[in-house]
């Protein structure tokens, strides 16, 4: 049974189609929604539209997209008329004790918020969000791979770099499609688990030797792993789908120079399955909101 949000004012600031499914679910639980950045969306009954500053001032809880913010603090607002920015100036306008939920922010912004006593909860990092979200993310990555390759994934030599929350789901789905999946990880327990699941385990230390075999490469590691040296060894026909958050884990410029198709794939859940992704938010957020709204600053992290 979901937690009730009766009378709680939620500012939903920016987002994409996911939020259009998420907002009515919050309303069903009794929340009042103040929407910023939804001027161009079909009206949602009961949602009050406001400017970003007004929404921030008036709400009890601030919800920014799971997508996060870029290096300038720009927030995705697919239906907004104006750009929405979460920067230090905007943080200063946030009244005390307003929890701010967002997928992730740059460490510098998080540090600035900490100094101001603003609690930012980076939801994309929470296991419960990341694991559920890995399903639409993996489907989206596979959809992109299908669009950009000239081979079937069935029978393909597909490499999954990084076996974390997204990597495991992706590897399992590729396996289900009949791909010959190599799981690349640095921890011995992940490599052992990969073997038990019928993947070919490969330590990162051996990737340079083996990468020339890969036809489709999915990267989930949020650090530069596909660097110049590895790209040199990669087949020019391979397709790289980089799922890791911006800026991804690929030297895109160098890949382009070599003629390797490499694509950064942000916002996959919103692209592949906005309804499911919105319902995932609706499943997880009520409990998080109540937990962070009622807890003193120091008791939860
Ligand atoms: P995760 O559970 O933390 O998994 C990350 C994996 O990368 C782990 O297996 C980790 O291995 C490995 N790793 C990290 N740094 C490494 C390094 N320097 N060298 C080798 N391996 C390294 O994260 P996740 O939830 O799967 O998410 C992965 C990335 O995808 C994140 O950037 C996330 O924001 C992004 N994401 C994007 C979308 C989208 O729509 N594009 C959707 C979901 C997630 P260890 O355990 O050994 O550290």
């Amino acid at each position: 049974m979901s937690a009730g949000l009766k009378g709680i004012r939620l500012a939903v600031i920016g987002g994409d189609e996911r939020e259009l499914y998420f907002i009515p679910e919050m309303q069903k639980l009794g929340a009042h929604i103040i929407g910023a950045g939804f001027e161009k969306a079909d009206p949602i009954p009961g949602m009050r539209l406001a400017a970003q500053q007004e929404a921030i001032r008036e709400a009890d809880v601030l919800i920014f997209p799971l997508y996060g913010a870029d290096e300038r603090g720009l927030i995705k607002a697919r239906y907004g008329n104006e750009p929405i920015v979460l920067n230090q100036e905007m943080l200063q306008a946030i009244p005390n004790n307003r929890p701010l939920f967002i997928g992730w922010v740059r460490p510098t912004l998080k540090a600035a918020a900490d100094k101001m006593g603003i609690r930012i909860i980076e939801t994309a990092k929470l296991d419960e969000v990341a694991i559920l979200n890995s399903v639409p993310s993996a489907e989206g990555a596979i959809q992109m791979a299908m669009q950009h390759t000239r081979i079937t994934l069935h029978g393909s030599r597909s490499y999954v770099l990084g076996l974390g929350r997204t990597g495991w789901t992706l590897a399992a789905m590729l396996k289900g499609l009949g791909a010959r999946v190599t799981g690349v990880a640095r921890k011995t327990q992940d490599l052992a688990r990969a073997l038990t699941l019928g993947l070919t385990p490969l330590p990162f230390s051996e990737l340079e030797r083996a990468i020339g075999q890969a036809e489709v490469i999915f990267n989930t590691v949020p650090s530069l792993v596909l660097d110049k040296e590895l790209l040199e060894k990669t087949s020019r026909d391979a397709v790289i789908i980089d799922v890791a958050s911006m800026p991804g884990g690929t030297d895109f410029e160098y890949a382009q120079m070599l003629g390797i198709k490499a694509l950064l794939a942000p916002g996959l859940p919103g692209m592949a399955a906005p309804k499911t992704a919105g319902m995932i938010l609706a499943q997880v957020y009520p409990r998080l909101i109540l937990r962070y709204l009622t807890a003193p600053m120091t008791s939860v992290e």
Side-chain angles (χ1 to χ4, degrees), residues 4-157:
L5 300 176
K6 200 163 181 348
I8 296 175
R9 291 163 300 177
L10 300 184
V12 180
I13 302 173
D16 54 25
E17 211 183 328
R18 283 175 265 202
E19 278 69 17
L20 304 186
Y21 292 100
F22 168 69
I23 288 168
E25 295 303 312
M26 296 303 96
Q27 289 174 318
K28 281 183 206 163
L29 294 176
H32 296 300
I33 307 292
I34 308 167
F38 291 93
E39 299 81 10
K40 291 190 279 197
D42 288 341
I44 297 179
M47 176 170 85
R48 180 159 68 82
L49 291 179
Q52 184 185 352
Q53 289 85 343
E54 191 187 340
I56 282 176
R57 233 184 6 253
E58 293 183 10
D60 303 306
V61 177
L62 311 175
I63 300 183
F64 286 82
L66 202 60
Y67 196 88
D70 76 5
E71 66 280 359
R72 292 161 299 153
L74 201 64
I75 299 292
K76 186 176 186 183
R78 178 167 162 194
Y79 304 106
N81 283 332
E82 315 256 309
I84 291 189
V85 179
L86 182 64
N87 53 20
Q88 291 209 29
E89 198 187 327
M90 199 49 71
L91 287 180
Q92 274 158 1
I94 298 176
N96 281 343
N97 297 325
R98 299 284 191 282
L100 187 163
F101 294 90
I102 184 167
W104 56 279
V105 289
R106 306 259 151 196
T108 45
L109 194 70
K110 179 83 164 67
D114 285 347
K115 269 200 197 138
M116 291 178 208
I118 296 163
R119 194 186 309 171
I120 293 187
I121 300 111
E122 295 179 274
T123 46
K125 294 185 176 173
L126 304 175
D127 269 346
E128 58 192 313
V129 176
I131 292 171
L132 291 172
N133 226 20
S134 71
V135 174
S137 304
E139 284 194 14
I142 287 171
Q143 185 182 335
M144 266 185 94
M146 286 177 172
Q147 275 166 4
H148 292 280
T149 50
R150 280 174 288 173
I151 56 171
T152 56
L153 289 176
H154 182 275
S156 69
R157 282 187 294 268

Side-chain angles (χ1 to χ4, degrees), residues 230-288:
L230 274 176
L231 290 171
E232 297 271 8
K233 300 271 162 53
T234 303
S235 160
R236 303 300 181 258
D237 290 332
V239 171
I240 299 169
I241 307 292
D242 199 330
V243 174
S245 294
M246 281 180 286
T250 306
D251 186 334
F252 287 98
E253 243 175 64
Y254 201 67
Q256 191 182 20
M257 218 188 82
L258 294 174
I260 299 170
K261 193 188 271 188
L263 304 156
L264 187 61
L268 288 168
M271 179 203 87
K275 182 172 181 183
T276 305
M279 295 314 248
I280 288 171
L281 296 180
Q283 182 180 334
V284 173
Y285 268 67
R287 205 170 36 76
L288 284 176

Side-chain angles (χ1 to χ4, degrees), residues 18 67 104 124-125 127 130-131 133-134 137-138 161-168 184-187 190 204 219-225 242-246 264-270:
R18 283 175 265 202
Y67 196 88
W104 56 279
K125 294 185 176 173
D127 269 346
I131 292 171
N133 226 20
S134 71
S137 304
L161 311 190
L163 293 174
R165 294 164 300 192
T166 309
W168 283 122
V184 188
R186 57 184 177 180
K187 287 195 181 127
D190 289 335
F204 269 101
N219 175 54
T220 73
V221 176
S223 305
L224 182 60
V225 278
D242 199 330
V243 174
S245 294
M246 281 180 286
L264 187 61
L268 288 168

